[in-house]
Amino acid sequence: MKVGVVTFPGSLDDQDAARAVRFAGATPVSLWHRDSDLHGVDAVILPGGFSYGDYLRCGAISRFAPVMTSIIEQAKSGLPVLGICNGFQILCESHLLPGALTRNQGLHFLCGPQKIRIENTTSAWTSNFVQNREIVIPLKNGEGSFQCDDSTLAQLESEGRVIARYMGENPNGSRNLIAGITNARGNVVGIMPHPEHAIDSLTGPSTDGLAFFTSVLNSLVGK
Amino acid sequence: MAKIVVDVMLKPEILDPQGQAVGAALPRLGFTFAQSVRQGKRFEIEVEGDPTPAQLAEISKAAETLLANPVIETFVVRVEK
């Protein structure tokens, strides 16, 4: 099983994402932003960081990278894609996911362990979770406030497309405490906190994040 | 040479913490006039000669595609003399 991890100029968490893929038992494949060839991968991760320096808006320029043209096309026909943090921003800018991520309420860059609740266990990236399980993974972002219009919010809620919600106080002003969402088909998932930093108790606050990466392997095997 | 200006603003219903921070700083400096402040972006695009309607339409398309994110922002295109 091959999982592609895209590197854009300014990506930071591509190595941790690749390591998480290895921990889950799959083979990570490096994908370069200028290469539109996805090298036959079974799934793709868009990692965190500051692609293209976050110039203009987070993810706005990355969305037009050659690799994204292929990812957008294949995501529409079911390729599992996980966007973490900056990757989530890119998925929103690509219109693969609705809404947008804006500057944190309070303006501070956040960095610390965050408790979230996994509410959707049918997506390609969350099928190994038990519904409503509470997990702790790192949250580290400056522009993580999930915003969308009222009708989009109502649709996300009624269709059960909120993947994860922040527990406790709202850390960044996200509507309805949304930490992650999925598309209607369940193959494209965006999440603001970082599961790839929580796969090994030596380097993370928990190993709760690993289930994102084992989930996608299960969903691929099930095909 | 003409200058085309594209102003991009967050939609009114979208929270603008940067504008709020500026709004909170003004009275601390003795500027007490502001009811509220919202912050946006301005792009200046230079083109050769007077812009044609087709060029302006193209710039609007570019603004919609790249300069602004219509999910959260609005934009206005105008020619500056």
Side-chain angles (χ1 to χ4, degrees):
Chain A
M1 206 74 76
K2 297 196 292 180
V3 179
V5 178
V6 178
T7 301
F8 297 95
S11 290
L12 295 179
D13 300 326
D14 42 348
Q15 294 304 314
D16 269 22
R19 181 165 171 260
V21 168
R22 268 196 303 277
F23 267 54
T27 307
V29 175
S30 292
L31 300 177
W32 183 236
H33 68 113
R34 284 172 68 178
D35 184 359
S36 59
D37 184 353
L38 300 186
H39 300 276
V41 295
D42 303 295
V44 168
I45 298 172
L46 303 177
F50 299 88
S51 57
Y52 294 90
D54 276 353
Y55 292 159
L56 189 58
R57 293 179 307 277
C58 303
I61 298 176
S62 326
R63 173 250 179 281
F64 294 103
V67 74
M68 282 309 298
T69 307
S70 308
I71 290 171
I72 291 167
E73 190 184 296
Q74 294 198 30
K76 285 177 179 164
S77 44
L79 179 77
V81 179
L82 175 66
I84 305 166
C85 192
N86 191 215
F88 186 8
Q89 294 161 341
I90 295 168
L91 290 175
C92 288
E93 284 283 344
S94 307
H95 307 302
L96 286 175
L97 293 176
L101 284 311
T102 63
R103 190 63 65 104
N104 291 345
Q105 187 171 19
L107 294 170
H108 292 287
F109 188 94
L110 302 171
C111 189
Q114 172 70 44
K115 190 185 267 191
I116 60 173
R117 186 174 58 227
I118 304 293
E119 297 194 359
N120 172 316
T121 55
T122 58
S123 85
W125 298 91
T126 51
S127 57
N128 275 5
F129 282 102
V130 175
Q131 174 102 37
N132 291 330
R133 171 143 177 241
E134 292 175 14
I135 67 170
V136 176
I137 61 177
L139 179 68
K140 49 161 200 164
N141 66 75
E143 306 204 15
S145 177
F146 180 77
Q147 300 295 321
C148 62
D149 59 34
D150 291 344
S151 67
T152 305
L153 190 65
Q155 191 184 12
L156 287 171
E157 294 288 359
S158 69
E159 294 177 359
R161 286 166 54 191
V162 175
I163 284 285
R165 229 181 280 272
Y166 299 114
M167 303 290 292
E169 204 177 318
N170 194 333
N172 50 24
S174 292
R175 294 201 76 181
N176 287 16
L177 293 158
I178 287 174
I181 56 170
T182 180
N183 63 347
R185 190 169 178 162
N187 63 308
V188 179
V189 167
I191 182 140
M192 191 39 63
H194 290 260
E196 82 284 18
H197 293 330
I199 56 151
D200 177 356
S201 53
L202 181 69
T203 51
S206 72
T207 57
D208 295 340
L210 190 61
F212 279 87
F213 306 95
T214 57
S215 291
V216 75
L217 301 192
N218 274 10
S219 68
L220 289 169
V221 166
K223 267 189 184 170
Chain B
M1 193 89 86
K3 189 193 280 177
I4 296 159
V5 174
V6 182
D7 285 316
V8 177
M9 290 299 295
L10 280 174
K11 288 180 180 173
E13 66 270 25
I14 302 289
L15 182 73
D16 176 19
Q18 292 183 104
Q20 285 177 350
V22 173
L26 287 172
R28 287 204 297 271
L29 301 170
F31 300 112
T32 54
F33 50 83
Q35 290 281 314
S36 76
V37 178
R38 292 185 68 81
Q39 183 178 319
K41 291 189 189 103
R42 172 187 164 113
F43 299 88
E44 297 181 346
I45 300 162
E46 286 183 336
V47 297
E48 199 63 44
D50 280 339
T52 62
Q55 271 179 324
L56 286 174
E58 210 179 358
I59 285 173
S60 282
K61 180 85 186 136
E64 195 186 338
T65 308
L66 181 66
L67 304 184
N69 177 353
V71 175
I72 49 166
E73 293 168 325
T74 57
F75 65 88
V76 179
V77 178
R78 59 192 160 86
V79 181
E80 200 163 85
K81 297 289 174 193

